[in-house]
Amino acid sequence: MAKVGRPARLNRERIVAAALETGLDALTMRELATRLEVSHSALYRWVRDRDELFDLVSEVMVGRIVPEKEPTPDTWRDWLAELAWSMHDEFLSVPGYAARVAAPHRHNPVSYGLLRDRATRAFELAGADGELAVQSWHIFSIGVITWLGAQQGAHDFGPTAPRFDLYLDTLLRGLPARLPVEHPSAPPGRRD
């Protein structure tokens, strides 16, 4: 007969939920363990460090933001707009998340790869070849994430804060990326 023990107090879903409830702006592993009512060492048995914690959080966040429907040649722009608005709503709902994602850091290869691959596919459906679809993804992701990081970072924009709807419309009208006009003083073939 199997020995019945105490049920596990921790699991990945509970850890991520507590991290999201607390916010990521000043979250420490010790604070998270306290919030979960477990020892610091018990938490480290599930999550080895803050980077792994952020990887788990990113997987949940990407799962929330990626539209369920696939983009099509007729819906790619709407699909990207839905993705951007989901990023806006979800990233800004967790204190510190947008600012964390906007800062230089190691991306979770699983969640980042899923997001990149789906968005790149949308740009390919818009007519961009492989290279330009990837470049369009970079422009899109850097643009949206930087905007959200600045918004969450409480930058002082003065009396008229920038509107995400106007920003997103401007961004999507210029995408997918096209072959750029060479800078007049740049050496031939320069690509930076």
Side-chain angles (χ1 to χ4, degrees):
M1 178 172 198
K3 186 175 181 180
V4 177
R6 188 172 80 179
R9 294 180 59 180
L10 279 182
N11 59 45
R12 290 178 180 263
E13 293 78 20
R14 191 164 172 247
I15 292 168
V16 169
L20 291 174
E21 287 171 11
T22 304
L24 304 179
D25 45 356
L27 181 67
T28 65
M29 295 296 280
R30 189 168 302 283
E31 180 182 345
L32 183 58
T34 300
R35 183 172 190 83
L36 290 165
E37 299 177 339
V38 298
S39 71
H40 195 232
S41 61
L43 179 59
Y44 276 109
R45 281 187 225 119
W46 284 89
V47 181
R48 95 178 143 251
D49 56 22
R50 278 177 56 92
D51 286 338
E52 187 174 341
L53 173 64
F54 287 127
D55 282 352
L56 291 174
V57 168
S58 290
E59 288 175 19
V60 168
M61 294 299 273
V62 167
R64 290 179 180 179
I65 65 170
V66 173
E68 287 184 29
K69 289 184 177 180
E70 292 291 325
T72 68
D74 295 330
T75 64
W76 68 270
R77 192 181 308 266
D78 292 336
W79 189 92
L80 287 165
E82 182 181 345
L83 174 62
W85 276 108
S86 293
M87 291 168 74
H88 175 275
D89 296 346
E90 291 294 333
F91 289 15
L92 294 179
S93 73
V94 178
Y97 188 77
R100 158 85 177 157
V101 174
H105 69 285
R106 178 192 61 77
H107 294 286
N108 175 333
V110 174
S111 58
Y112 180 79
L114 171 67
L115 194 55
R116 180 199 59 229
D117 293 349
R118 294 285 301 277
T120 299
R121 178 71 182 132
F123 288 117
E124 289 170 343
L125 291 167
D129 69 17
E131 161 91 23
L132 288 178
V134 171
Q135 291 301 314
S136 295
W137 153 248
H138 288 304
I139 294 164
F140 175 82
S141 65
I142 290 169
V144 170
I145 290 170
T146 301
W147 193 98
L148 295 173
Q151 187 72 26
Q152 194 170 63
H155 289 270
D156 183 5
F157 293 110
T160 309
R163 290 177 37 194
F164 188 69
D165 59 336
L166 294 175
Y167 174 77
L168 184 58
D169 182 62
T170 303
L171 180 66
L172 289 176
R173 284 179 190 271
L175 290 171
R178 305 286 183 235
L179 289 174
V181 175
E182 293 286 331
H183 188 285
S185 63
R190 176 179 159 196
R191 298 173 70 186
D192 54 19

